[in-house]
Amino acid sequence: SDENTNTIGKTVFVLPQNAQELSSRFGSYSPIGSPSISEAVEHITKKVTWFSDATVDSEIIVLPSRSEATDKTDNQDMEATLLNCDALIAFNIVEKNDVQFLEKIFQSRRNSGKKNICQFALDSGEAKSLPIIVGPHDHSSPSLSAMLLPWTSDASGRRMEEQMMGLFDRWTSDDFVVALMIFFNQYSGSEIDWVKYSIDATWEKGP
C-alpha cells in the first residue's frame, strides 16, 4: 500500500451488519466472557500488525444492510477489495443475501487462477458454496496430486489448510494470527521474522 512500502500482503475480514451484537467464540476460556465478533476481529487486526512487524495490512469490511441505500461506487470499491486481497476471512455470514453476495466473491476468487491466496468462511453459509482455498489447493475440488503426491505444491496447500483450520478451531486471537502468519510466510514471497525464528519446527515454513 502507499502507507507502507514494506507491505507483503493484505488480509480482509468480512463481518455481518450485526457483528457488534453477536457474541463470538473467542474468549470462551476468559473469565470476562466472550467479546462481540466486532471486538474480537478488531483485536485480531492489531495483532496482525504486531506479529508481522507491520508488513501485513488488514481491513474489516462490515457488509451493508440490504435495506440501506448504498452508493454504487462504494459497492464496487468493496467488491474490488474483497476480490484483490490475499487472505479473506468471513465470520458469521448467514443472512441469505449476504451469503449469496459472498458466494460470488468466493467463486470469482476461486476462478481467478491465483495460486497465492486463501479464503475461509467461518460459521457462515454452506461450505460447498463458499470453498476454502489455500494457495493452489481448492478444498472443494482437490487435485489428485494434493491427495497422493506429498511433495507437490497442491499437497503443500492442503497441509497448510489443515494447519490453519486447526489453529482457527482453537478460537483464540493468537492462534488466528499465527495461522495467517504461516500462510503469508509461505505464499507472499517474503519471510516473516516471527515465523522464521519460531521454535516450532512442525510448521511447514517453505515450499
Side-chain angles (χ1 to χ4, degrees):
S1 71
D2 293 336
E3 297 173 11
N4 183 0
T5 55
N6 297 319
T7 297
I8 63 172
K10 180 170 184 173
T11 301
V12 172
F13 300 97
V14 183
L15 308 183
Q17 171 80 16
N18 61 341
Q20 291 182 335
E21 301 155 21
L22 293 175
S23 289
S24 72
R25 289 205 265 165
F26 292 97
S28 56
Y29 302 108
S30 167
I32 60 171
S34 298
S36 71
I37 294 169
S38 284
E39 291 169 327
V41 174
E42 284 172 13
H43 188 56
I44 288 172
T45 62
K46 292 173 183 173
K47 285 192 173 183
V48 166
T49 301
W50 180 60
F51 274 62
S52 71
D53 289 327
T55 61
V56 176
D57 285 343
S58 57
E59 180 177 344
I60 298 171
I61 288 182
V62 178
L63 295 182
S65 166
R66 298 299 153 184
S67 61
E68 290 178 1
T70 52
D71 186 276
K72 188 175 181 182
T73 304
D74 289 343
N75 273 336
Q76 289 173 341
D77 289 347
M78 178 178 70
E79 288 187 26
T81 299
L82 295 172
L83 290 171
N84 294 326
C85 66
D86 304 289
L88 178 60
I89 315 290
F91 292 91
N92 294 77
I93 305 300
V94 294
E95 199 272 325
K96 183 179 178 182
N97 288 331
D98 288 346
V99 171
Q100 289 176 345
F101 170 75
L102 198 61
E103 284 173 354
K104 291 178 183 176
I105 297 294
F106 268 51
Q107 294 295 344
S108 293
R109 287 170 60 87
R110 179 189 186 189
N111 297 335
S112 70
K114 293 179 182 177
K115 303 296 185 185
N116 60 349
I117 62 173
C118 73
Q119 60 187 32
F120 295 84
L122 307 173
D123 292 342
S124 295
E126 290 289 327
K128 289 180 182 176
S129 64
L130 296 168
I132 295 172
I133 290 175
V134 178
H137 175 61
D138 180 347
H139 180 89
S140 63
S141 182
S143 66
L144 277 175
S145 61
M147 308 298 288
L148 302 176
L149 304 174
W151 59 87
T152 61
S153 59
D154 283 4
S156 180
R158 183 180 177 217
R159 288 192 296 274
M160 178 67 73
E161 180 204 329
E162 291 169 354
Q163 284 182 325
M164 293 179 75
M165 281 304 301
L167 289 162
F168 288 161
D169 282 343
R170 295 179 186 174
W171 289 100
T172 75
S173 58
D174 278 3
D175 286 317
F176 254 73
V177 177
V178 168
L180 290 168
M181 293 304 103
I182 61 174
F183 166 77
F184 280 106
N185 189 71
Q186 182 146 326
Y187 289 105
S188 68
S190 300
E191 285 188 324
I192 290 177
D193 284 346
W194 190 88
V195 178
K196 180 180 177 182
Y197 298 118
S198 161
I199 60 172
D200 189 338
T202 61
W203 292 335
E204 187 169 357
K205 297 182 186 175

